[in-house]
Amino acid sequence: MVRPCPVGRARAALRAVAPALRELALAAGPGPPAAAASPGGAAPAGAPRKAGPGGGPAPGGAAAKAAPVCCEWLRCCGGGEARPRTVWLGHPEKRDQRYPRNVINNQKYNFFTFLPGVLFNQFKYFFNLYFLLLACSQFVPEMRLGALYTYWVPLGFVLAVTVIREAVEEIRCYVRDKEVNSQVYSRLTARGTVKVKSSNIQVGDLIIVEKNQRVPADMIFLRTSEKNGSCFLRTDQLDGETDWKLRLPVACTQRLPTAAVSSFPCRSPCWQPVLEDSDPPISESLSIENTLWAGTVVASGTVVGVVLYTGRELRSVMNTSNPRSKIGLFDLEVNCLTKILFGALVVVSLVMVALQHFAGRWYLQIIRFLLLFSNIIPISLRVNLDMGKIVYSWVIRRDSKIPGTVVRSSTIPEQLGRISYLLTDKTGTLTQNEMVFKRLHLGTVAYGLDSMDEVQSHIFSIYTQQSQDPPAQKGPTLTTKVRRTMSSRVHEAVKAIALCHNVTPVYESNGVTDQAEAEKQYEDSCRVYQASSPDEVALVQWTESVGLTLVGRDQSSMQLRTPGDQILNFTILQIFPFTYESKRMGIIVRDESTGEITFYMKGADVVMAGIVQYNDWLEEECGNMAREGLRVLVVAKKSLAEEQYQDFEARYVQAKLSVHDRSLKVATVIESLEMEMELLCLTGVEDQLQADVRPTLETLRNAGIKVWMLTGDKLETATCTAKNAHLVTRNQDIHVFRLVTNRGEAHLELNAFRRKHDCALVISGDSLEVCLKYYEYEFMELACQCPAVVCCRCAPTQKAQIVRLLQERTGKLTCAVGDGGNDVSMIQESDCGVGVEGKEGKQASLAADFSITQFKHLGRLLMVHGRNSYKRSAALSQFVIHRSLCISTMQAVFSSVFYFASVPLYQGFLIIGYSTIYTMFPVFSLVLDKDVKSEVAMLYPELYKDLLKGRPLSYKTFLIWVLISIYQGSTIMYGALLLFESEFVHIVAISFTSLILTELLMVALTIQTWHWLMTVAELLSLACYIASLVFLHEFIDVYFITTLSFLWKVSVITLVSCLPLYVLKYLRRRFSPPSYSKLTS
């Protein structure tokens, strides 16, 4: 036999694939990505549909044919309507249209839009735009009041700080994205396997994805290395569920001659050339089971897929809203205050000109007065606040009690101090994704974690007894009608749990699946369990711990190992998988040793109660276990005679072949078996919560924050977790919103819900969609009154919609917490997004404003850092405004005395030095101030509740600071005029010195907890002023300031301006102390 050359084998292999895929039509898709909730749960829709011709031979002689795929669910390239797509297998260069690059991009700007974008976002603020116009006006000679640098240097400094900060964040974001885009995959070509970066993958590429590797793009599943011809996917990045989803390759490509998957399709010596003419064209319809979504992880074997969609056309990306530049509520409030100050500036300027009776060129005088009093709006306010945000971010990152916390958006730390609604994901955020078997209940006796050794001894005794009995007695021993012993009851329950599931044991050797070798010995150390539900894995692991081990399984058989190492073989006759509608699963097996046929079933108590025989304990015990936060399953069985099963099988096959009402007929046939089943046991499984979730949620509740849980998981699971995490307290009722499909049902259910008070709400995504469609206002009004809300089966876009509605309807700040790719939209839509770095990858963490490693860190992030950031920024902003208003008041008094002349009181370096080196450090040191210790803030979360009303920065506090500024500015100026009448030429030196001393004393008055850096800042500023007097001879008489007369008069003016305020502060703390002062004392 002549072996073809490698290139010939490659071409032959590609020819083998081509006919099989020539007319592939994507007959079923999940609908528009925005509406899809779960990749595992979407129903096929549509009909098989053929696209264009297959095409001719590939360049260079390779006969690779195209696989035309009709995409119902893609809006190609932003076109808006669905368009068919022809995919050339392994030949992306032959595509007939351009597709987006396969890159992940979380950046707000690119190289060209960075500077325009940052400048636009800065001049969007009123006072930044105002100062730009102010600086530009100085180029007009008639309007110039002093040197150009007095206006352009402060503005340039403010913009430089902002641009640098944004650049650093963008670079960090670019580095993170590059890390994801640089992940390397194997691409199959006619010449062999080549390595390719994720960002270079194109539509039509054949990509090999290894076990535990993320799928880089949306693909059609062509081949798997698994012996059973299927593979499992972990979809936690898409829907937050840890359940593994079963995926099946396209039948015609999986049936092709097999070899090691790494050789597909180019290097396999086993492949035989298949001529195109000798094979009739094969048409395959595709379903959801043939897809591999980007962001999912291959959990078993190695798979090969053809890339269909990349970049912004990925399902996960289309389910994610574009990142937006978040502007904090605090910044908007400060912006509003500056508009008020601008109004005051215009009024003062008009009054000054009016008092001149609008003489001469009065319009120029108005502009000069606007420039003269421009200090009313402090240009240093923005830069002080921005630098404060950088300090807050640095403090958060350095906090040893919340290690690993990352601040990705340093523009909104104050938002953390005013959160009213917290929206959290469940799986991986509140829970650990680890199921633990907690309880086995047999009606008369219950076994907990501390008594599992008794279950083990019962199992051991049963199989020891059976091994000693003659084989002929094995059957009747367990099926006799007499009252059974406890051991046999336990054994029946454990055996039912060990058989009724969809779990497959997989044997691994040195990290590579080698089932054929390892299965021979059933090595315990090499075995791992794969399933579509973590609950099922927990149950099978428990049966292994008590002595009955699942050691083998394929499509038609199952093997259990007993404590005596005996292998029990069972034939799988039928499987009825779990669905959200049926809430149960069943399996019919035949025991190979006895020939007995048994129908096992497990499911939720609400459906199983009507299936099992009458008993008086099921409902009560299910309630008891659910109150403990356990996920309860009821297990039952029914023995079938051979004739009974044959009759059922005939009816079942006939029902499956029906064209009309197939689902209904199949369900009816199965229900004919589901009667009078024998109740075996109840099982209780707990989804383990993350550390300190309960105290954290209690802290948030006491702080006045309402917690909503939005999850893609099942209703029962979500309800259990809500109870277990104490999201719903023990004394609160739970209203489960009935499934509604139309306006009438929604109206009735809303009326029923309205009659309940102080009740937690549990609602599914489908019902939520109907309610929001017809009764959006009424539903949100009722939901916002609930102490807690649980939304289950939520699509990613639904989560974002809920956040948006909360913001619009309540006007309160929202915080979204999640850990999976399905939470990204919610995180980006919220006022403050927090990502948890967990088992579901880093997608949520990368898109969030803040990233934490555990949910419990959220308490400290809000109660300590959020509270401090908001209070510090409020104090800082108002003090900067006070500083500017003081000097503006002095200017107004000065102009009034000199017949309303538009002459500046201070010029040149004095005006710049006042807001920089003379007062900058003490004022900025307010970012280190705190009213209570962090331990007190955590112990009394009620302190956080005070901030929700926005009292630290309000019109009331703003007015108080304005009055203080007017009083101090007037006192200093009139004091200088009164005491320095004979030395009027020294008015500048005397008033300016008093002003600097007053500002330093006011900082000391405002500080609540002294930090050593504050003391250094005060002394340093005073030293800088004294030292600079030597160089300011242009403005100040150096000899005069050394006289005793100067010193005592400055001291008197400063004392008069500050002492009354110190007295008022003492009286207020004495007779009306704030809540925090009661705790500190």
Side-chain angles (χ1 to χ4, degrees):
M1 177 180 172
V2 178
R3 299 175 68 86
C5 69
V7 174
R9 288 202 303 272
R11 290 175 180 172
L14 285 169
R15 277 200 295 274
V17 181
L21 293 174
R22 184 183 295 118
E23 294 185 1
L24 278 178
L26 185 56
S38 164
R49 179 171 155 192
K50 293 182 182 179
K65 292 295 182 183
V69 178
C70 176
C71 50
E72 297 284 352
W73 52 275
L74 178 75
R75 293 186 176 136
C76 292
C77 306
E81 77 282 349
R83 290 162 55 187
R85 170 171 294 194
T86 300
V87 177
W88 288 79
L89 239 67
H91 286 273
E93 71 278 357
K94 290 180 68 65
R95 59 181 182 241
D96 56 358
Q97 56 181 294
R98 290 178 62 84
Y99 302 120
R101 291 187 63 216
N102 192 42
V103 293
I104 288 176
N105 185 6
N106 287 309
Q107 293 167 252
K108 289 185 283 187
Y109 312 103
N110 60 33
F111 181 79
F112 299 103
T113 62
F114 174 73
L115 202 56
V118 172
L119 292 177
F120 173 76
N121 281 329
Q122 283 307 300
F123 292 124
K124 199 162 56 175
Y125 288 110
F126 170 76
F127 52 83
N128 280 356
L129 181 61
Y130 166 73
F131 277 110
L132 178 66
L133 296 173
L134 193 73
C136 291
S137 72
Q138 293 303 290
F139 290 112
V140 180
E142 290 85 355
M143 298 181 188
R144 184 176 296 179
L145 291 176
L148 279 176
Y149 72 86
T150 58
Y151 292 92
W152 280 101
V153 169
L155 182 64
F157 181 68
V158 169
L159 293 178
V161 169
T162 305
V163 169
I164 290 169
R165 191 194 70 228
E166 287 285 344
V168 169
E169 287 191 5
E170 282 294 290
I171 290 169
R172 283 178 182 163
C173 200
Y174 169 76
V175 170
R176 290 195 301 267
D177 289 343
K178 188 177 179 182
E179 183 183 340
V180 177
N181 293 326
S182 299
Q183 290 180 352
V184 177
Y185 293 86
S186 297
R187 179 171 64 194
L188 296 171
T189 65
R191 294 187 179 134
T193 305
V194 296
K195 296 295 181 183
V196 61
K197 288 183 179 179
S198 175
S199 57
N200 293 333
I201 290 174
Q202 301 176 27
V203 172
D205 280 345
L206 292 167
I207 301 296
I208 298 175
V209 187
E210 304 288 346
K211 183 178 178 181
N212 292 326
Q213 198 173 20
R214 292 204 175 274
V215 177
D218 289 345
M219 306 196 296
I220 292 294
F221 184 12
L222 299 181
R223 262 197 71 79
T224 176
S225 63
E226 290 291 275
K227 188 176 76 171
N228 56 11
S230 64
C231 88
F232 282 101
L233 289 182
R234 295 204 299 272
T235 63
D236 43 25
Q237 275 283 20
L238 281 183
D239 57 12
E241 293 189 23
T242 51
D243 306 0
W244 289 6
K245 305 295 187 298
L246 186 70
R247 286 292 183 266
L248 303 173
V250 177
C252 59
T253 50
Q254 182 67 19
R255 281 197 305 266
L256 292 169
T258 56
V261 72
S262 59
S263 305
F264 176 73
C266 349
R267 294 196 301 272
S268 169
C270 306
W271 281 49
Q272 301 298 320
V274 179
L275 297 175
E276 182 178 346
D277 297 334
S278 64
D279 246 305
I282 301 172
S283 182
E284 288 270 359
S285 66
L286 305 180
S287 74
I288 194 81
E289 292 179 331
N290 305 123
T291 56
L292 302 171
W293 301 118
T296 57
V297 178
V298 176
S300 63
T302 301
V303 304
V304 178
V306 57
V307 175
L308 284 189
Y309 303 107
T310 54
R312 65 174 180 272
E313 294 176 352
L314 294 176
R315 181 178 190 262
S316 55
V317 173
M318 294 177 79
N319 246 331
T320 304
S321 54
N322 291 325
R324 61 188 177 94
S325 295
K326 294 183 182 179
I327 300 174
L329 177 62
F330 177 83
D331 293 316
L332 295 175
E333 288 173 346
V334 170
N335 203 31
C336 183
L337 294 181
T338 56
K339 290 176 184 176
I340 294 172
L341 291 173
F342 178 73
L345 167 64
V346 173
V347 168
V348 171
S349 301
L350 286 172
V351 167
M352 286 293 179
V353 176
L355 291 171
Q356 290 179 342
H357 307 292
F358 295 97
R361 299 166 71 184
W362 57 269
Y363 50 89
L364 273 180
Q365 286 297 315
I366 289 178
I367 295 173
R368 284 181 64 85
F369 274 118
L370 285 173
L371 295 169
L372 197 62
F373 294 126
S374 62
N375 279 321
I376 287 178
I377 303 175
I379 191 169
S380 58
L381 178 59
R382 182 81 257 145
V383 74
N384 270 286
L385 291 177
D386 285 350
M387 290 172 68
K389 293 173 194 289
I390 293 171
V391 172
Y392 308 147
S393 303
W394 182 80
V395 171
I396 291 171
R397 284 196 295 266
R398 296 270 300 185
D399 191 344
S400 60
K401 294 188 178 176
I402 48 173
T405 302
V406 179
V407 180
R408 303 202 190 280
S409 177
S410 61
T411 57
I412 54 169
E414 297 92 356
Q415 300 278 76
L416 293 169
R418 304 174 69 181
I419 301 300
S420 295
Y421 287 92
L422 181 80
L423 300 103
T424 175
D425 180 38
K426 177 188 76 71
T427 312
T429 304
L430 296 178
T431 64
Q432 295 181 22
N433 295 354
E434 292 178 5
M435 303 294 174
V436 177
F437 189 94
K438 284 290 187 80
R439 186 77 51 84
L440 178 71
H441 207 297
L442 300 177
T444 55
V445 62
Y447 297 97
L449 285 176
D450 53 348
S451 52
M452 290 304 172
D453 52 339
E454 293 181 37
V455 178
Q456 198 170 359
S457 63
H458 284 310
I459 298 296
F460 185 77
S461 66
I462 280 287
Y463 284 104
T464 306
Q465 177 188 345
Q466 280 188 6
S467 62
Q468 294 169 356
D469 287 345
Q473 294 180 7
K474 279 185 187 175
T477 311
L478 295 178
T479 54
T480 179
K481 296 289 183 183
V482 300
R483 184 176 176 81
R484 294 177 298 167
T485 65
M486 182 54 68
S487 291
S488 62
R489 287 179 63 196
V490 171
H491 167 250
E492 277 299 325
V494 173
K495 188 167 82 168
I497 296 169
L499 289 171
C500 186
H501 53 71
N502 264 317
V503 180
T504 304
V506 174
Y507 294 86
E508 298 180 341
S509 178
N510 298 325
V512 180
T513 304
D514 191 7
Q515 192 160 342
E517 278 299 315
E519 252 184 13
K520 294 177 184 176
Q521 308 297 327
Y522 291 133
E523 290 286 344
D524 288 344
S525 60
C526 300
R527 183 173 54 248
V528 292
Y529 293 115
Q530 291 177 351
S532 61
S533 166
D535 301 56
E536 296 211 309
V537 174
L539 292 172
V540 172
Q541 286 174 338
W542 174 77
T543 63
E544 180 183 354
S545 71
V546 296
L548 208 55
T549 307
L550 175 70
V551 291
R553 180 180 185 145
D554 54 32
Q555 301 288 342
S556 59
S557 66
M558 207 183 308
Q559 291 79 39
L560 301 181
R561 187 173 63 199
T562 68
D565 284 337
Q566 178 190 356
I567 301 297
L568 306 178
N569 290 296
F570 296 88
T571 302
I572 300 172
L573 301 176
Q574 299 290 347
I575 290 183
F576 314 116
F578 180 92
T579 65
Y580 180 53
E581 291 75 24
S582 68
K583 296 184 174 63
R584 59 190 181 274
M585 77 147 295
I587 187 169
I588 301 177
V589 296
R590 176 188 276 119
D591 189 337
E592 291 295 314
S593 60
T594 62
E596 287 181 0
I597 299 175
T598 311
F599 174 34
Y600 290 106
M601 178 167 277
K602 68 180 181 189
D605 56 303
V606 286
V607 293
M608 294 296 288
I611 292 173
V612 299
Q613 296 167 349
Y614 173 77
N615 61 84
D616 57 0
W617 60 273
L618 175 62
E619 186 178 350
E620 182 184 354
E621 293 303 333
C622 282
N624 291 339
M625 290 166 73
R627 275 188 287 277
E628 294 177 35
L630 300 180
R631 300 162 78 158
V632 183
L633 284 175
V634 180
V635 183
K637 78 161 193 173
K638 186 175 189 178
S639 296
L640 302 177
E642 185 68 38
E643 301 79 15
Q644 194 178 358
Y645 172 70
Q646 295 298 339
D647 172 59
F648 164 78
E649 187 180 34
R651 288 185 292 120
Y652 185 61
V653 170
Q654 189 66 35
K656 287 205 291 185
L657 292 175
S658 300
V659 177
H660 301 291
D661 299 326
R662 182 188 304 168
S663 301
L664 180 64
K665 290 177 180 176
V666 168
T668 305
V669 173
I670 296 173
E671 283 171 10
S672 67
L673 277 186
E674 298 172 344
M675 294 185 294
E676 293 297 307
M677 296 189 72
E678 180 187 348
L679 175 59
L680 296 178
C681 65
L682 305 181
T683 63
V685 176
E686 183 181 57
D687 186 358
Q688 291 231 299
L689 295 174
Q690 285 204 17
D692 296 331
V693 161
R694 289 172 184 151
T696 302
L697 287 175
E698 185 179 358
T699 298
L700 297 174
R701 201 160 41 238
N702 292 338
I705 300 173
K706 290 188 176 181
V707 183
W708 289 31
M709 186 169 81
L710 314 179
T711 175
D713 221 331
K714 297 183 277 290
L715 187 140
E716 292 81 6
T717 310
T719 309
C720 274
T721 305
K723 291 177 181 174
N724 198 19
H726 296 175
L727 178 65
V728 179
T729 56
R730 290 184 182 278
N731 55 358
Q732 278 175 354
D733 289 331
I734 296 179
H735 178 81
V736 179
F737 206 90
R738 195 167 53 85
L739 188 66
V740 295
T741 54
N742 56 53
R743 183 173 191 150
E745 291 177 357
H747 181 73
L748 291 173
E749 192 62 21
L750 280 170
N751 283 339
F753 178 45
R754 185 177 276 110
R755 289 191 286 270
K756 299 193 176 181
H757 300 286
D758 193 34
C759 175
L761 172 66
V762 178
I763 186 170
S764 68
D766 295 335
S767 300
L768 179 69
E769 193 173 347
V770 174
C771 288
L772 294 179
K773 183 177 179 182
Y774 298 111
Y775 298 106
E776 181 184 294
Y777 177 79
E778 292 84 353
F779 175 79
M780 291 305 295
E781 184 184 22
L782 289 171
C784 290
Q785 294 170 4
C786 294
V789 177
V790 177
C791 299
C792 55
R793 289 293 179 193
C794 264
T797 44
Q798 268 187 321
K799 293 183 178 184
Q801 184 187 11
I802 292 168
V803 173
R804 196 160 49 247
L805 285 171
L806 271 176
Q807 292 167 340
E808 292 170 0
R809 294 295 176 193
T810 66
K812 304 288 181 64
L813 292 188
T814 58
C815 175
V817 190
D819 69 320
N822 62 318
D823 303 314
V824 169
S825 289
M826 168 176 77
I827 284 170
Q828 291 181 338
E829 188 64 42
S830 66
D831 297 295
C832 182
V834 179
V836 182
E837 279 193 25
K839 296 179 181 177
E840 298 188 16
K842 290 187 176 182
Q843 196 172 345
S845 165
L846 293 176
D849 304 305
F850 302 89
S851 170
I852 56 178
T853 54
Q854 294 184 58
F855 183 82
K856 67 177 182 180
H857 293 165
L858 189 64
R860 187 173 176 86
L861 190 65
L862 297 181
M863 299 301 114
V864 177
H865 296 290
R867 186 173 180 276
N868 285 343
S869 298
Y870 176 47
K871 294 206 73 168
R872 288 165 175 172
S873 283
L876 179 63
S877 60
Q878 291 177 123
F879 202 94
V880 172
I881 290 171
H882 158 264
R883 184 177 65 185
S884 297
L885 281 176
C886 266
I887 199 168
S888 299
T889 304
M890 292 172 68
Q891 177 66 57
V893 172
F894 180 77
S895 294
S896 302
V897 170
F898 283 92
Y899 306 102
F900 313 108
S902 54
V903 178
L905 171 61
Y906 306 122
Q907 294 187 10
F909 185 78
L910 284 184
I911 200 72
I912 292 180
Y914 170 66
S915 57
T916 54
I917 61 169
Y918 297 151
T919 60
M920 182 177 69
F921 297 116
V923 171
F924 188 69
S925 69
L926 290 173
V927 300
L928 302 172
D929 193 19
K930 57 183 177 184
D931 51 2
V932 294
K933 293 181 179 178
S934 55
E935 293 78 15
V936 176
M938 289 297 294
L939 192 59
Y940 298 100
E942 291 78 10
L943 291 170
Y944 186 88
K945 198 182 292 186
D946 293 343
L947 305 186
L948 299 182
K949 298 171 184 175
R951 285 175 178 165
L953 181 67
S954 61
Y955 289 119
K956 179 184 173 182
T957 57
F958 172 68
L959 182 61
I960 290 170
W961 277 104
V962 168
L963 293 175
I964 290 171
S965 305
I966 293 172
Y967 165 73
Q968 290 187 323
S970 304
T971 301
I972 293 170
M973 202 65 224
Y974 279 118
L977 292 172
L978 182 67
L979 296 177
F980 292 83
E981 192 173 347
S982 56
E983 299 103 353
F984 196 73
V985 290
H986 301 134
I987 189 77
V988 171
I990 296 150
S991 60
F992 193 75
T993 306
S994 299
L995 179 62
I996 297 295
L997 291 175
T998 298
E999 287 302 315
L1000 296 180
L1001 287 172
M1002 282 301 294
V1003 170
L1005 174 68
T1006 307
I1007 290 171
Q1008 290 162 341
T1009 305
W1010 281 87
H1011 188 281
W1012 66 269
L1013 281 174
M1014 295 173 171
T1015 310
V1016 170
E1018 291 266 331
L1019 297 175
L1020 183 64
S1021 295
L1022 189 60
C1024 283
Y1025 177 63
I1026 294 170
S1028 66
L1029 291 175
V1030 180
F1031 306 102
L1032 297 175
H1033 51 81
E1034 184 184 344
F1035 310 105
I1036 295 172
D1037 184 351
V1038 180
Y1039 299 105
F1040 170 70
I1041 61 174
T1042 57
T1043 63
L1044 191 62
S1045 173
F1046 171 83
L1047 294 175
W1048 78 259
K1049 289 177 181 179
V1050 165
S1051 302
V1052 168
I1053 292 173
T1054 307
L1055 202 61
V1056 172
S1057 69
C1058 294
L1059 188 60
L1061 298 175
Y1062 272 85
V1063 172
L1064 286 172
K1065 180 182 179 182
Y1066 170 77
L1067 292 175
R1068 183 167 177 266
R1069 287 184 70 95
R1070 181 78 174 79
F1071 296 107
S1072 179
S1075 53
Y1076 63 83
S1077 65
K1078 299 171 188 174
L1079 298 175
T1080 51
S1081 58

